[in-house]
């Protein structure tokens, strides 16, 4: 229970369904980390748990979060990547450490407020993951890394509901967070200033370097790789005759490559650190719909598995700003096939 409306309503629905439930909040970082008070969420969660007459726990996973999520985020950014820490947190904490702690408390399953659907296919004897009913809130993209064992122990009751329906249930039951605004930022960087956070966390100032074009000609000086992302046009600090965009970031020589908009398009990508949900292996080229970032519209493509841990995705049409470090997630209609980290 994060303290938000979604996990609160998920808890309510589980209790109403007759499950023996307890509520738990993960403590992920100290208040001073981001200058705010992350434990406000824990207090809201506690109040909802009390209203539902649920035992309530706070699990301190701050060391794990620091090591497995924040440090990886910082390291990846300094390598020139653009990571998605929510996916990393889901993999290692929400459906990793949290599930393990639940098992220690003799709980059979965990429940979250994600908008997605877990299902079981008797024919293939595999657990599956499908998109949530509310297309605008669907979170199947950030859950692609769930394993068969994790899916088997997970319930997602909000997957068949809309956000409006969830808020109505919360209001009808007098939950303190019924109208609570959703956070749109990374939880440990609420002000959105990634570069400043990375500098504070690493204790190192971002190193200036060269802006170059595709031919290697110097166009000016950048203020550090961590201040830029693929496809960025604003905030470059250059006076140019034409609009140029960040095309690539090269950590090896601390260089940011700029290009025209039409140079941002890619027909294919490779991804590693893959997880497959619908099958053990993609044995032959497979037609899919592929999504290259959370808010990206799926695009028709063909995927081929190159090795145990790598895939290649070939799009029917070139895609703009394919970004190393982000996830590519593969779909067959409403069902998640799997995904991986874009190389």
């Amino acid at each position: 229970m994060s303290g938000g409306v979604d996990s609160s309503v998920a808890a309510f629905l589980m209790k109403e369904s007759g499950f023996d439930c307890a509520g738990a909040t993960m403590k992920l970082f100290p208040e001073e980390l981001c200058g705010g008070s992350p434990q406000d969420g824990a207090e809201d969660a506690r109040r909802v748990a009390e209203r539902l007459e649920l035992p309530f726990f706070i699990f301190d996973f701050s060391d794990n979060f620091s090591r497995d999520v924040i440090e990886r985020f910082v390291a990846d950014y300094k390598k020139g990547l653009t990571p998605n820490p929510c996916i990393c947190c889901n993999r290692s904490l929400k459906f990793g450490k949290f599930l393990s702690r639940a098992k220690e408390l003799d709980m059979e399953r965990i429940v979250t407020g994600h908008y997605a659907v877990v299902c079981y296919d008797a024919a293939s004897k595999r657990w599956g993951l499908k998109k949530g009913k509310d297309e605008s809130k669907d979170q199947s993209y950030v859950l692609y890394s769930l394993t068969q064992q994790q899916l088997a122990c997970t319930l997602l009751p909000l997957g068949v509901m809309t956000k409006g329906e969830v808020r109505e249930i919360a209001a009808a039951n007098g939950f303190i967070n019924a109208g609570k605004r959703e956070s749109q930022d990374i939880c440990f960087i609420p002000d959105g200033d990634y570069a400043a956070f990375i500098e504070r966390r690493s204790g190192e100032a971002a190193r200036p370097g060269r802006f170059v074009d595709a031919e290697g000609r110097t166009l000016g000086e950048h203020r550090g790789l961590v201040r830029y992302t693929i496809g960025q046009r604003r905030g470059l600090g250059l006076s140019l005759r034409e609009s140029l965009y960040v095309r690539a970031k090269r950590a090896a020589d601390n260089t940011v490559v700029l290009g025209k908009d039409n140079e941002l398009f890619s027909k294919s990508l490779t991804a590693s650190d893959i997880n497959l949900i619908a099958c053990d292996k993609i044995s032959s080229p497979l037609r899919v719909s592929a999504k290259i970032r959370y808010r990206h519209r799926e695009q028709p493509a063909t995927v081929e598995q190159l090795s145990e841990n790598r895939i290649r995705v070939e799009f029917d049409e070139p895609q703009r700003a394919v970004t190393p470090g982000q996830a590519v997630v593969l779909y067959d209609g409403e069902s998640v096939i799997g995904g991986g980290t874009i190389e």
Side-chain angles (χ1 to χ4, degrees), residues 20-35:
D20 179 15
C21 303
T25 293
M26 296 188 298
K27 179 183 178 184
L28 299 180
F29 39 81
E31 286 81 351
E32 63 269 16
L33 179 65
C34 57

Side-chain angles (χ1 to χ4, degrees), residues 131-163:
K131 298 176 188 175
K133 173 184 175 181
D134 191 332
E135 184 178 352
S136 67
K137 295 298 179 183
D138 170 50
Q139 292 172 296
S140 59
Y141 174 87
V142 296
L143 299 177
Y144 83 86
S145 64
L146 268 62
T147 65
Q148 288 293 298
Q149 292 76 20
Q150 290 167 339
L151 288 167
C153 297
T154 299
L155 293 170
L156 306 177
L158 305 192
V160 296
M161 305 178 68
T162 67
K163 183 74 174 195

Side-chain angles (χ1 to χ4, degrees), residues 86-87 89-91 94-95 112-118 129-130 138-147 150-151 154 156 275 277 294 327 329 331 336 338-339:
C86 296
I87 291 174
C89 183
N90 284 335
R91 176 190 289 124
K94 290 182 182 176
F95 299 91
T112 75
H114 286 96
Y115 288 82
V117 175
V118 174
L129 179 69
K130 293 185 177 182
D138 170 50
Q139 292 172 296
S140 59
Y141 174 87
V142 296
L143 299 177
Y144 83 86
S145 64
L146 268 62
T147 65
Q150 290 167 339
L151 288 167
T154 299
L156 306 177
N275 181 66
I277 292 176
Y294 181 50
V329 178
Y331 291 86
V336 175

Side-chain angles (χ1 to χ4, degrees), residues 268-285:
S268 64
L269 63 82
T270 57
S272 58
D273 194 20
I274 66 172
N275 181 66
L276 298 177
I277 292 176
C279 55
D280 286 323
K281 181 180 180 181
I282 299 173
S283 55
S284 60

